[in-house]
Amino acid sequence: MTRSQGVPAQTFGEFFRQKRIEANFTLRSFCNRFGFDPAYISRVERGLLPPPEDKIKIQGLAKALGLKEGSPDWVSFFDLAYIAKGKIPKDILEKPKSFQYLPLLFRTARGERLSKKKLRELVYLLNTP
């Protein structure tokens, strides 16, 4: 959903900043505690720089924020990182079945409506092994 539909869209940087603040860290205290460059983290949070390409570095950031591996926040963190880089999350790419349904998702994202039946079918097909 978009901001105009009442649900705020969130970028990787916005999510990162929100989680840092929820963990009661200022930018400087977070960077001092975990050994990150404050200028770099500030640019990532403001969307001036994309998230790191390296999965290990993104995992390090997620763990520093206190995100639990496999939790909804962990998954969102990685999804937003992929989106910020203009990529599709790897777990989706690893499901060959997903490829045939991505065009429907793209059309929906562009504003073309799917019938409820087609939408339920898509959800079912994406969730079956």
Side-chain angles (χ1 to χ4, degrees), residues 1 7 10 15 23 31 34-35 40-43 48-50 52 56 60 64 76 83 85 91 113-114:
M1 295 189 142
V7 177
Q10 196 168 42
F15 187 80
C31 292
F34 298 105
Y40 169 73
I41 296 298
S42 174
R43 287 183 189 113
L48 300 175
L49 289 175
I56 305 265
S76 291
I83 291 166
K85 295 181 277 188
D91 61 320
R113 294 189 55 96
L114 288 178

Side-chain angles (χ1 to χ4, degrees), residues 40-99:
Y40 169 73
I41 296 298
S42 174
R43 287 183 189 113
V44 168
E45 287 185 355
R46 291 181 291 141
L48 300 175
L49 289 175
E53 287 288 326
D54 186 314
K55 183 179 179 181
I56 305 265
K57 289 181 182 178
I58 295 175
Q59 286 175 335
L61 290 172
K63 288 178 181 177
L65 290 169
L67 304 181
K68 293 186 179 171
E69 194 166 344
S71 71
D73 280 345
W74 178 276
V75 173
S76 291
F77 190 75
F78 280 83
D79 284 350
L80 290 169
Y82 277 105
I83 291 166
K85 295 181 277 188
K87 296 182 178 181
I88 297 172
K90 288 189 180 192
D91 61 320
I92 291 174
L93 290 175
E94 290 170 356
K95 291 182 180 179
K97 192 183 216 183
S98 298
F99 285 105

